[in-house]
Amino acid sequence: MDLTLSPSEEEFRDEVRTWLLENNPGPEPEGGLDEVMTFRREWQLKLHAAGWAGISWPKEYGGRGATMIEQAIFVGEAARQEAPSPANVLGLAMGGPVVIAHGTDEQKQRYLEPILTGDEIWCQGFSEPESGSDLASLKTRAVKDGDEWVVSGQKVWTTFAQYAKWCMLVARTAPDAPKHQGLTYFLMDMDQEGVEAKPLVQITGEGEFNEVFMDEARIPEENVVGGVGNGWGVAITTLMNERAGLAFGAISQIQNSLGRLAKLASEVRTNGGSAADDAYYRQRIAQLHIEAEAMRLNAYRGLTKTMQSGIPGPEGSLGKWQWADINQGLTELALEIEGVYAPLSRGAEQAIDNGAWQYGFLRSRANSIEGGTTDILKNIIAERVLGLPRLR
Amino acid sequence: MDLTLSPSEEEFRDEVRTWLLENNPGPEPEGGLDEVMTFRREWQLKLHAAGWAGISWPKEYGGRGATMIEQAIFVGEAARQEAPSPANVLGLAMGGPVVIAHGTDEQKQRYLEPILTGDEIWCQGFSEPESGSDLASLKTRAVKDGDEWVVSGQKVWTTFAQYAKWCMLVARTAPDAPKHQGLTYFLMDMDQEGVEAKPLVQITGEGEFNEVFMDEARIPEENVVGGVGNGWGVAITTLMNERAGLAFGAISQIQNSLGRLAKLASEVRTNGGSAADDAYYRQRIAQLHIEAEAMRLNAYRGLTKTMQSGIPGPEGSLGKWQWADINQGLTELALEIEGVYAPLSRGAEQAIDNGAWQYGFLRSRANSIEGGTTDILKNIIAERVLGLPRLR
Amino acid sequence: MYFDLTDEQQAIKATAHDFLASRFKSERIRELAASEDGFDAAGWGEMAELGWTGLALPEEWGGQGLGIVELAILFEEMGYALAPSPLFSSTIVGLALTLCGSDDQRDRYLRPLAAGERRGSPALWDAGSPASPGEFTMEAKADGDGIVLDGVKTMVADAASADFFVVATADGRRHLVERDAEGVSVTAEPSIDLTRRFSSVGLDGVRVAAADTLPGEAADYFPVFHRLCVALAAESTGIAQRTMEMAVAYAKDRQQFGRPIGAYQAVSHRCAQMLLETENARSTVYGAAWAADAEPESLPLAASMAKAYASDAGWRVPNASIQVHGGIGFTWEHDLHFFLKRGRANAAIFGDAKWHRERVADAVLAPAPDPAAL
Amino acid sequence: MYFDLTDEQQAIKATAHDFLASRFKSERIRELAASEDGFDAAGWGEMAELGWTGLALPEEWGGQGLGIVELAILFEEMGYALAPSPLFSSTIVGLALTLCGSDDQRDRYLRPLAAGERRGSPALWDAGSPASPGEFTMEAKADGDGIVLDGVKTMVADAASADFFVVATADGRRHLVERDAEGVSVTAEPSIDLTRRFSSVGLDGVRVAAADTLPGEAADYFPVFHRLCVALAAESTGIAQRTMEMAVAYAKDRQQFGRPIGAYQAVSHRCAQMLLETENARSTVYGAAWAADAEPESLPLAASMAKAYASDAGWRVPNASIQVHGGIGFTWEHDLHFFLKRGRANAAIFGDAKWHRERVADAVLAPAPDPAAL
């Protein structure tokens, strides 16, 4: 058992750290999403130029060929320094890996480079209004018409669809097959008449997600990934990779938030000192730190295991569940500490930290829903880790 | 809305209070169960002589014909003054009411008086090892043989079976009928060769419960209650009455415990004062008080509703659930407050309160299991109060 | 003993329910949420006609003379409907004038308030003061036979539509200050709650004549405070009730894996928990409201219990309802978030759950004994 | 970076697992639980043969020279098996002698301890002292060139089978006191935990020669304390693991309403929660154990995190397992209660969860700033 980095990992960490310290462009611009995306595109170009885009991709496809530990180091360090996201986060984390794993040589040739440069943004078309947790029940249909597929249906929770060139689309190609079969994974061009993206405003007032409506959209047959009818398997491995890849960034973000929470508690006066002097708050803050540390160490254990077996195991579900709990608990506690000022949000003169915690409180409500609800994650753990019987 | 007692209710309360102050024999004797039962028999005789046994039974059957409020007052006051239980608590709370509601005239004639005097103790034979929450799946069989039923099977969680003359037994009389049908409610004589009661030691080290083994035990046909095949309905109304009747006693017990908890917190020293000075403990103690008050007020609302409708509603399940949570939370907190001394139990020189909280902590583990598990109560609330669909 | 609503109380509840349901449909709430000041003049007029502006105020001064139980019933329905309205602020001011005002002040301020012709709001918290409620710091500086006020009050509800404020000072007194008096300025403080607006009220050398200082002193306002806590807790109970109903309805309807999601215990037990919290909140509110009317000596503890419990339930139940709804519950187009936000704001103002639990602890824990005794 | 057991560590774990499983079957644990002093002489001899009595002690003094990671692995298995054994007490004493003793003391006490020939136990808490750990109060009164001790130590584990005690005094020092020294008396203190016994140790004018006072001073014992917290947290992790496995096995087997109860989310999600708590406990224990061996400057915080988390998990997981089992889990004849009781006792000793969380808060919260700044 060894939690220290090897000399080469340490060297990698130092290189990342130094480069980010020198190149991190700092906070994203305030204003609309367009400004943010322009900023992120520039940042991605900078990352790519220095070889930090697609760090886990094999070198032959333009990546750095980094180990999983190196990837974790990079993601963790970037979050620690609060570097912005690249513009094409889904292309890098899911699109590229799925093309590398399941794509044809032509597809690799065509798609990988513009993902790395951010020239082509990717989005993910999995969820539908009627198919949330029960992803396999999705209804979007693709019908073969000559050498094209014609797609109609609706997707939802599609991040940055309005900027995307390519959509990783799962659609039903064999309506009479059992529901997990008969699905196919497509790369759909978003720039066509049959596709429309509408922003879906969230309870925070932001519109990072979209609904995507497809009305006889057309996809050439060479844009199938992994073969017709294999969509379920391709989608699931994509989701597992997404979860594993994001874990270390999420952990660093929690660490940053805990630091800000400690600062908040020290600064907010109560009657009789600061909130940081109050035994009740101290206990809860300490518990959050302990749980965050357990989550971090679990992730390292998971990483070691994944490196041995090659595939992320179902234990990853624990981390996602725990992250949602901690992040929600943390923002709830921050609002409690703010006491009478808890309602005041961005732009209020008397707001604490300009309403950052109010935004965090609202945004984190979705943490237990997005990317697999906590209920579903518990099912996965019960069934696949503990071997308990399935209900359905 | 009026939470005050009417003049006649107040008079009743004063009468109960005074009588108990003068007659309460105080704590039960230490030592074995035999001593306790002797003590409780004497107490029941005293209660009966003064007209306090079967207070909610109609006068014609030897009861006091008290209203539900009066009954609640009596039970609450007895618990407040920590009066002992009568010997025949199940006979009074369930046996008598079931005979009154479903019994024949002959049965009323035969059984009611000895319940009131405590001459004949009653026990309840519902649960079986394989039929816990799923009561209707019980397997004990009764087969007609002339004018008798012959019973074989096993019951469990039978309180004080070793002292009981009569067992309220539910057994399967029509093995091929759907599982909720084909059950019959019997009064079984415990004094016979085919019946054996074995104490079941609990995690507290006590043996208040028993296993009852029946090997061709015999029950005359006139001992059927409510008709052959109607056992499920009879059993369920019995259980509802039990739950409703015990509520106000349970509430007073919680109030007593909360008083003791406050005393404990004031007396236990921590580094830097008493536990009662610690903001963390104060918050948790306050929350328990608030929840106990909500439970008490819920019970009054339920009582008003039951008096209007005549039948206790499924809302009673809320109270039982809540009681288990509060009682468990309360004893858990007491052990936390005892800090390093938390393990020490009865008889230890350094034990706090001679280990009373350690006993309470262990005993309360069953609160969410006995008399309907919390999981099942939540099912009942979801299905019968909220109208959500049943899973099965 | 009869712990339920009487027929008259049932009628009040039904009237309120029906009126509010017809008046504050989702589209109307959204219009008001998007408007500059969030004030609904037409709705206010109708509430005044229904007598709500004077519901629990004395008949002598134009009120209906009903009790805190009836007030709690009304505010539970206000929360259920998520009505954006300054009725709560005006009710507080009405209670303050009733319990702590002079006859002259009641004549000038309470009577029009009860009739709904004018609106008032309490201006209590000093900007920059600690996050948990304590002493007020604004000085009442003597100035002739009146006083002069300088400073900023914050977390003032419904200030934009208020005609006057009741301003608290460090000496424990309250003062009537007209909205358009010289030196008064109102600055909106954006909050998560779009259905009740908060503002800061600047007081820059504002003169208050002696006749506009209420005769009541510090402790005299406790009965006002406890009653408003009950009304606010009732409102949060209504929020919990409504969002629980939304969750239950959705759980019956929404299908996943071939059955309604309400058939899964993860969902159905969460709904049962919502019922528990809602009923507990309601019981503590009814208990405290009854105490206010019939047993005032037990009101302080009962009010803190109700405000503590309902503060939690008022945002946790909507929060759980969002979880039952899944993604759709996280969208602006669904109404749930308005309830969550109002519930969370209600939890924060007039003492949060922790502050009220600390009051309960004061009441239930004996003073610390000799520390030498284990 | 490799955050998993090495092959050697896996082998230690497997050996411990198999030996303990064969040695401490339910019947044997019940025999010991029912016995006068709970001591298993035969088991002790075998553990000594396996080298466990000196596992993490220096080879120089007869130990195996392994690390705290290996010690944690062993104690996780001790908890898993619920082994009734004074190994934990003796291990603490061994660590104290290793880190704070003189060579002479190590020769006289550590060597036989490592060989399993003698057993020791720490006697720290003064009877009647506060419920949360703080300063020791027993005075080390000068007496010639030695000292004399008067008073009562309590919560002394495994005192009945100990050959000597390491007694703490108010000056921060520790003293070696033979069990059969003049003036020493041992009184059993019955506890809920029947698999580890506690006693009070009376010291009535007990003389301690200068050579029997350890040279280490107060702060020198922190490293001992943090290491024993890791071992105890590991034991509680094993308790959680075992009782989770029992729940899962029962949930697969037990049928109600026509299916295994593990198919219901009320049960399956409770089991998932047990897994979460068990894995979290294990990770914090491994992290702290690794810190003890490789990064001692982060040990104090890591040890408090592990002890805090595992204190809770060590009784909550058995508690949840009882709930999964229903009635049968509440019977004496089922083994679960022994685990619950040991887990709860482990939570109480050497700083409970609250005490350790307070240490974590000390570490993570900056000192209070100028209270004038909001």
Side-chain angles (χ1 to χ4, degrees):
Chain A
M1 184 176 300
D2 187 4
L3 270 168
T4 39
L5 299 178
S6 70
S8 78
E9 288 161 357
E10 239 176 85
E11 198 179 308
F12 181 87
R13 199 255 333 265
D14 292 344
E15 189 186 344
V16 170
R17 187 167 287 176
T18 310
W19 188 85
L20 282 169
L21 278 170
E22 285 166 5
N23 292 282
N24 179 356
E28 299 188 333
E30 301 199 357
L33 271 179
D34 287 354
E35 286 83 351
V36 169
M37 280 306 278
T38 305
F39 178 85
R40 290 185 179 182
R41 278 178 197 273
E42 283 166 23
W43 172 232
Q44 182 165 345
L45 278 174
K46 215 162 159 184
L47 284 167
H48 180 51
W52 299 117
I55 46 170
S56 64
W57 297 19
K59 286 190 180 162
E60 54 183 306
Y61 301 123
R64 181 180 279 257
T67 66
M68 296 179 93
I69 291 178
E70 288 170 343
Q71 191 191 6
I73 290 169
F74 181 85
V75 171
E77 189 64 28
R80 208 177 66 83
Q81 294 198 28
E82 305 196 319
S85 289
N88 199 9
V89 64
L90 283 177
L92 291 167
M94 297 173 68
V98 83
V99 168
I100 292 168
H102 301 281
T104 61
D105 287 346
E106 291 72 22
Q107 287 172 337
K108 290 173 188 167
Q109 199 64 33
R110 165 65 189 84
Y111 294 108
L112 296 177
E113 176 70 15
I115 290 177
L116 291 170
T117 58
D119 281 345
E120 291 179 351
I121 306 290
W122 286 47
C123 68
Q124 179 199 46
F126 286 13
S127 293
E128 299 183 2
E130 297 299 314
S131 306
S133 293
D134 185 9
L135 184 58
S137 70
L138 59 83
K139 293 194 180 65
T140 292
R141 282 218 190 171
V143 180
K144 196 72 186 284
D145 177 27
D147 53 4
E148 284 188 331
W149 291 87
V150 181
V151 182
S152 294
Q154 184 188 347
K155 296 289 176 179
V156 76
W157 308 118
T158 312
T159 312
F160 294 136
Q162 66 271 54
Y163 300 100
K165 168 69 177 169
W166 296 106
C167 178
M168 298 172 264
L169 182 88
V170 182
R172 191 164 299 284
T173 44
D176 299 328
K179 74 176 184 178
H180 287 80
Q181 297 162 22
L183 298 176
T184 299
Y185 197 106
F186 295 98
L187 304 182
M188 178 178 76
D189 191 338
M190 296 288 285
D191 290 338
Q192 60 172 304
E193 225 177 275
V195 177
E196 190 188 6
K198 281 190 193 164
L200 192 61
V201 183
Q202 302 155 233
I203 71 174
T204 55
E206 291 183 322
E208 70 187 81
F209 299 123
N210 292 267
E211 295 176 288
V212 174
F213 298 88
M214 288 146 297
D215 182 13
E216 306 207 340
R218 303 190 84 86
I219 305 177
E221 64 183 355
E222 63 265 27
N223 285 21
V224 167
V225 180
V228 173
N230 299 327
W232 177 253
V234 176
I236 288 299
T237 51
T238 315
L239 285 172
M240 300 261 274
N241 280 317
E242 180 196 21
R243 201 164 287 162
L246 297 175
F248 287 90
I251 288 165
S252 288
Q253 281 165 6
I254 292 273
Q255 307 283 358
N256 291 340
S257 297
L258 283 170
R260 279 194 283 268
L261 182 69
K263 188 165 169 294
L264 178 77
S266 306
E267 288 176 359
V268 167
R269 276 189 305 145
T270 61
N271 284 291
S274 78
D277 300 327
D278 182 291
Y280 179 67
Y281 291 140
R282 291 174 70 82
Q283 286 288 312
R284 290 176 60 194
I285 291 169
Q287 184 65 20
L288 286 168
H289 273 267
I290 296 168
E291 287 174 16
E293 178 66 0
M295 173 174 70
R296 188 179 75 90
L297 294 168
N298 281 343
Y300 281 121
R301 285 174 58 209
L303 188 62
T304 296
K305 218 167 155 181
T306 305
M307 288 177 71
Q308 290 170 299
S309 69
I311 336 157
E315 299 81 4
S317 298
L318 273 186
K320 163 65 184 34
W321 161 16
Q322 208 170 356
W323 166 76
D325 276 4
I326 295 173
N327 210 30
Q328 290 177 347
L330 201 153
T331 58
E332 288 166 10
L333 179 55
L335 257 63
E336 284 186 55
I337 287 173
E338 291 191 4
V340 70
Y341 300 102
L344 298 185
S345 53
R346 189 163 163 174
E349 238 172 71
Q350 300 293 328
I352 299 174
D353 291 347
N354 194 24
W357 291 108
Q358 284 65 29
Y359 170 80
F361 170 79
L362 293 173
R363 180 62 186 82
S364 65
R365 297 309 97 189
N367 292 165
S368 44
I369 300 169
E370 58 194 331
T373 69
T374 294
D375 288 349
I376 293 293
L377 297 174
K378 289 181 187 175
N379 285 355
I380 292 173
I381 290 161
E383 292 163 15
R384 296 189 47 209
V385 183
L386 298 176
L388 287 168
R390 291 165 75 98
L391 181 55
R392 46 194 185 277
Chain B
M1 186 177 297
D2 187 6
L3 271 168
T4 40
L5 300 178
S6 71
S8 79
E9 288 160 358
E10 238 175 85
E11 199 179 308
F12 181 87
R13 199 254 334 263
D14 292 344
E15 191 186 343
V16 170
R17 187 167 288 177
T18 310
W19 188 85
L20 283 170
L21 278 170
E22 286 166 4
N23 292 282
N24 180 357
E28 298 188 333
E30 302 200 353
L33 270 179
D34 288 353
E35 287 83 350
V36 168
M37 280 306 279
T38 306
F39 179 85
R40 289 186 178 181
R41 278 178 196 274
E42 283 165 22
W43 172 232
Q44 183 166 344
L45 278 173
K46 215 161 160 186
L47 285 167
H48 180 51
W52 298 117
I55 47 171
S56 64
W57 296 20
K59 285 190 182 162
E60 54 184 307
Y61 301 122
R64 180 180 280 255
T67 66
M68 297 179 92
I69 292 178
E70 288 170 342
Q71 191 191 6
I73 290 169
F74 180 85
V75 172
E77 189 64 27
R80 209 177 64 84
Q81 294 199 27
E82 305 196 318
S85 290
N88 198 10
V89 63
L90 283 177
L92 291 167
M94 298 174 66
V98 83
V99 168
I100 293 168
H102 301 282
T104 62
D105 287 346
E106 291 71 24
Q107 288 172 337
K108 290 172 188 168
Q109 201 62 36
R110 165 66 190 84
Y111 294 109
L112 296 178
E113 177 68 16
I115 291 177
L116 291 170
T117 59
D119 283 343
E120 292 179 353
I121 305 290
W122 286 47
C123 68
Q124 180 199 44
F126 287 12
S127 292
E128 300 183 1
E130 297 298 315
S131 307
S133 292
D134 185 8
L135 184 58
S137 70
L138 60 82
K139 293 194 179 67
T140 292
R141 282 219 189 169
V143 180
K144 195 74 185 284
D145 177 28
D147 52 4
E148 284 188 331
W149 291 87
V150 181
V151 182
S152 294
Q154 184 189 347
K155 295 289 176 179
V156 77
W157 308 119
T158 312
T159 311
F160 294 138
Q162 65 270 56
Y163 300 101
K165 168 70 177 168
W166 296 108
C167 178
M168 298 172 264
L169 182 88
V170 183
R172 191 164 300 284
T173 44
D176 299 329
K179 74 177 185 177
H180 287 79
Q181 297 160 24
L183 298 176
T184 299
Y185 197 108
F186 296 98
L187 304 182
M188 178 177 76
D189 191 338
M190 296 289 284
D191 291 337
Q192 58 173 306
E193 224 177 275
V195 177
E196 190 189 6
K198 281 192 194 164
L200 192 60
V201 184
Q202 301 155 235
I203 71 174
T204 56
E206 292 183 322
E208 69 185 82
F209 300 122
N210 292 267
E211 294 176 288
V212 174
F213 299 88
M214 288 147 297
D215 182 13
E216 305 206 342
R218 303 191 85 85
I219 306 177
E221 65 184 354
E222 62 266 28
N223 286 22
V224 166
V225 181
V228 173
N230 299 327
W232 179 253
V234 176
I236 288 299
T237 52
T238 316
L239 285 172
M240 300 261 275
N241 280 316
E242 181 197 21
R243 202 164 287 162
L246 297 176
F248 287 91
I251 288 165
S252 287
Q253 281 164 6
I254 293 274
Q255 307 284 358
N256 291 342
S257 298
L258 284 170
R260 279 193 282 268
L261 182 69
K263 188 166 169 293
L264 177 76
S266 306
E267 288 175 359
V268 167
R269 276 190 305 146
T270 61
N271 284 290
S274 77
D277 299 327
D278 182 292
Y280 179 69
Y281 290 139
R282 291 173 70 82
Q283 287 289 312
R284 290 177 61 192
I285 291 169
Q287 183 64 19
L288 286 168
H289 274 266
I290 296 167
E291 287 175 17
E293 178 65 0
M295 174 175 69
R296 189 180 74 90
L297 293 168
N298 281 343
Y300 281 122
R301 285 174 58 208
L303 188 62
T304 297
K305 217 167 155 184
T306 305
M307 288 177 72
Q308 291 170 297
S309 69
I311 337 157
E315 299 81 5
S317 297
L318 273 186
K320 163 63 186 29
W321 162 16
Q322 207 169 357
W323 166 77
D325 275 4
I326 295 173
N327 209 30
Q328 290 176 346
L330 201 153
T331 57
E332 289 166 9
L333 179 55
L335 258 62
E336 286 187 53
I337 287 173
E338 292 192 4
V340 70
Y341 301 103
L344 298 186
S345 53
R346 189 162 163 173
E349 237 173 73
Q350 301 294 327
I352 299 174
D353 293 346
N354 194 23
W357 291 107
Q358 283 65 29
Y359 171 80
F361 170 78
L362 293 173
R363 179 64 186 81
S364 66
R365 297 308 98 190
N367 292 166
S368 44
I369 300 170
E370 57 195 329
T373 69
T374 294
D375 287 349
I376 293 292
L377 297 174
K378 289 182 186 175
N379 285 355
I380 293 173
I381 290 162
E383 292 163 14
R384 297 188 47 209
V385 183
L386 298 176
L388 287 168
R390 291 165 75 99
L391 181 54
R392 47 195 183 275
Chain C
M1 220 217 52
Y2 179 90
F3 196 30
D4 201 352
L5 306 186
T6 61
D7 291 347
E8 296 74 26
Q9 290 165 343
Q10 285 286 9
I12 291 171
K13 187 176 171 74
T15 304
H17 187 93
D18 294 346
F19 168 74
L20 292 167
S22 70
R23 199 77 194 72
F24 295 106
K25 296 191 198 303
S26 174
E27 313 81 69
R28 181 61 185 146
I29 290 173
R30 285 167 183 273
E31 270 173 37
L32 291 166
S35 73
E36 178 69 22
D37 60 7
F39 177 59
D40 177 26
W44 179 260
E46 289 173 294
M47 288 181 191
E49 270 170 46
L50 286 163
W52 294 1
T53 48
L55 189 85
L57 303 180
E59 291 175 86
E60 192 183 348
W61 304 102
Q64 293 212 56
L66 293 170
I68 302 299
V69 171
E70 286 77 13
L71 194 70
I73 291 167
L74 174 62
F75 275 99
E76 189 179 326
E77 291 301 324
M78 293 287 284
Y80 185 93
L82 204 72
S85 166
L87 186 63
F88 177 61
S89 302
S90 260
T91 297
I92 302 171
V93 166
L95 289 169
L97 283 160
T98 301
L99 294 167
C100 305
S102 69
D103 276 358
D104 162 61
Q105 290 161 347
R106 292 182 184 124
D107 204 45
R108 287 188 290 135
Y109 282 90
L110 186 54
R111 200 176 292 282
L113 193 90
E117 294 154 14
R118 303 196 80 209
R119 286 174 300 277
S121 182
L124 306 174
W125 281 280
D126 299 283
S129 62
S132 64
E135 305 291 308
F136 305 117
T137 56
M138 182 176 283
E139 291 297 330
K141 284 173 285 188
D143 178 62
D145 63 348
I147 55 161
V148 68
L149 299 175
D150 277 294
V152 178
K153 292 289 182 182
T154 193
M155 298 307 296
V156 181
D158 310 309
S161 63
D163 299 302
F164 65 96
F165 302 107
V166 177
V167 180
T169 48
D171 55 1
R173 306 295 284 267
R174 304 284 190 278
H175 316 277
L176 294 157
V177 174
E178 290 287 319
R179 164 71 181 85
D180 55 10
E182 177 89 29
V184 172
S185 60
V186 171
T187 312
E189 296 276 356
S191 108
I192 53 173
D193 183 5
L194 297 169
T195 61
R196 176 180 285 137
R197 306 296 176 90
F198 297 102
S199 299
S200 288
V201 174
L203 299 161
D204 183 11
V206 174
R207 300 208 59 246
V208 178
D212 290 336
T213 291
L214 274 67
E217 302 196 24
D220 298 332
Y221 292 95
F222 292 162
V224 179
F225 176 71
H226 295 132
R227 283 164 175 78
L228 76 87
C229 284
V230 176
L232 193 57
E235 196 183 284
S236 291
T237 303
I239 290 170
Q241 176 71 34
R242 177 74 172 280
T243 51
M244 173 187 71
E245 289 177 13
M246 291 161 89
V248 169
Y250 189 78
K252 289 177 187 172
D253 184 55
R254 168 80 170 177
Q255 303 268 333
Q256 292 280 277
F257 303 108
R259 12 176 120 74
I261 59 170
Y264 296 100
Q265 285 175 322
V267 174
S268 67
H269 286 194
R270 186 177 280 133
C271 290
Q273 176 72 30
M274 293 162 82
L275 179 75
L276 177 71
E277 293 181 21
T278 304
E279 292 299 342
N280 280 353
R282 181 171 290 125
S283 286
T284 57
V285 165
Y286 283 2
W290 171 82
D293 291 338
E295 201 179 274
E297 67 277 15
S298 42
L299 175 60
L301 176 59
S304 275
M305 285 183 160
K307 178 65 168 76
Y309 198 95
S311 288
D312 285 340
W315 74 264
R316 286 197 185 148
V317 176
N319 185 55
S321 189
I322 289 178
Q323 299 306 314
V324 169
H325 281 77
I328 190 75
F330 190 65
T331 61
W332 191 272
E333 82 180 58
H334 199 288
D335 289 342
L336 266 171
H337 68 102
F338 291 116
F339 287 87
L340 171 71
K341 291 165 178 174
R342 171 85 153 263
R344 188 58 190 82
N346 279 2
I349 58 177
F350 296 105
D352 61 12
K354 178 171 185 288
W355 189 89
H356 281 284
R357 281 195 298 261
E358 185 56 35
R359 300 289 76 71
V360 172
D362 283 343
V364 302
L365 286 168
D370 175 12
L374 177 70
Chain D
M1 220 216 55
Y2 179 91
F3 196 30
D4 200 352
L5 306 186
T6 61
D7 291 345
E8 294 75 27
Q9 290 164 344
Q10 285 287 10
I12 292 171
K13 188 177 170 72
T15 303
H17 186 92
D18 294 346
F19 167 74
L20 292 167
S22 69
R23 200 76 195 70
F24 296 107
K25 296 190 198 304
S26 175
E27 312 83 70
R28 180 62 185 145
I29 291 173
R30 285 166 184 273
E31 270 173 37
L32 291 166
S35 73
E36 178 69 21
D37 60 7
F39 177 61
D40 177 25
W44 178 261
E46 289 173 294
M47 289 182 191
E49 271 170 47
L50 286 162
W52 294 1
T53 47
L55 189 85
L57 303 180
E59 291 176 87
E60 190 184 350
W61 305 103
Q64 293 211 57
L66 293 172
I68 302 300
V69 171
E70 286 77 13
L71 193 70
I73 291 167
L74 174 61
F75 275 100
E76 188 179 327
E77 291 301 324
M78 292 288 283
Y80 185 93
L82 204 72
S85 166
L87 186 63
F88 177 61
S89 302
S90 258
T91 298
I92 301 171
V93 166
L95 289 169
L97 283 160
T98 301
L99 294 168
C100 306
S102 67
D103 276 357
D104 161 62
Q105 290 161 348
R106 291 181 184 126
D107 205 46
R108 286 189 290 135
Y109 282 90
L110 185 54
R111 200 176 292 281
L113 194 90
E117 295 153 14
R118 304 196 77 210
R119 287 175 299 276
S121 181
L124 306 174
W125 281 280
D126 299 282
S129 62
S132 63
E135 305 291 307
F136 305 117
T137 57
M138 182 175 284
E139 291 296 330
K141 284 173 285 188
D143 180 62
D145 63 348
I147 56 162
V148 67
L149 300 175
D150 277 294
V152 177
K153 292 289 181 181
T154 194
M155 298 308 295
V156 181
D158 309 308
S161 63
D163 299 301
F164 66 96
F165 301 108
V166 177
V167 180
T169 47
D171 55 1
R173 306 297 284 268
R174 303 284 189 280
H175 315 278
L176 293 157
V177 174
E178 289 288 318
R179 162 74 181 84
D180 54 10
E182 177 89 31
V184 173
S185 60
V186 172
T187 313
E189 296 277 354
S191 108
I192 53 174
D193 184 4
L194 297 169
T195 60
R196 175 180 285 139
R197 306 297 176 88
F198 297 102
S199 300
S200 288
V201 174
L203 300 161
D204 185 9
V206 173
R207 299 209 61 244
V208 177
D212 290 335
T213 291
L214 275 66
E217 303 195 24
D220 299 331
Y221 292 95
F222 293 162
V224 179
F225 176 71
H226 295 132
R227 282 162 177 78
L228 77 88
C229 284
V230 175
L232 193 56
E235 196 184 283
S236 290
T237 302
I239 290 170
Q241 175 72 30
R242 177 74 173 280
T243 52
M244 173 187 72
E245 289 178 13
M246 290 161 90
V248 169
Y250 189 76
K252 288 178 188 172
D253 184 55
R254 169 81 170 176
Q255 303 268 333
Q256 292 282 275
F257 303 107
R259 13 176 119 73
I261 60 172
Y264 297 99
Q265 284 174 323
V267 174
S268 67
H269 286 192
R270 185 176 280 131
C271 290
Q273 176 72 31
M274 293 162 82
L275 179 75
L276 177 71
E277 294 181 21
T278 304
E279 292 298 342
N280 280 352
R282 181 170 292 124
S283 285
T284 57
V285 165
Y286 284 2
W290 171 81
D293 292 338
E295 200 179 275
E297 66 277 17
S298 43
L299 174 61
L301 176 59
S304 276
M305 286 184 160
K307 177 65 169 77
Y309 198 95
S311 288
D312 285 340
W315 74 265
R316 287 197 185 147
V317 175
N319 185 54
S321 189
I322 289 178
Q323 299 306 314
V324 169
H325 281 77
I328 190 75
F330 190 65
T331 61
W332 191 273
E333 83 181 55
H334 199 288
D335 289 341
L336 267 172
H337 67 104
F338 291 116
F339 288 87
L340 172 71
K341 291 165 178 175
R342 172 84 154 264
R344 188 59 190 83
N346 280 2
I349 57 177
F350 296 103
D352 61 12
K354 178 171 185 288
W355 189 88
H356 281 284
R357 281 194 297 262
E358 185 56 37
R359 301 289 78 70
V360 172
D362 284 343
V364 302
L365 286 168
D370 175 13
L374 177 69

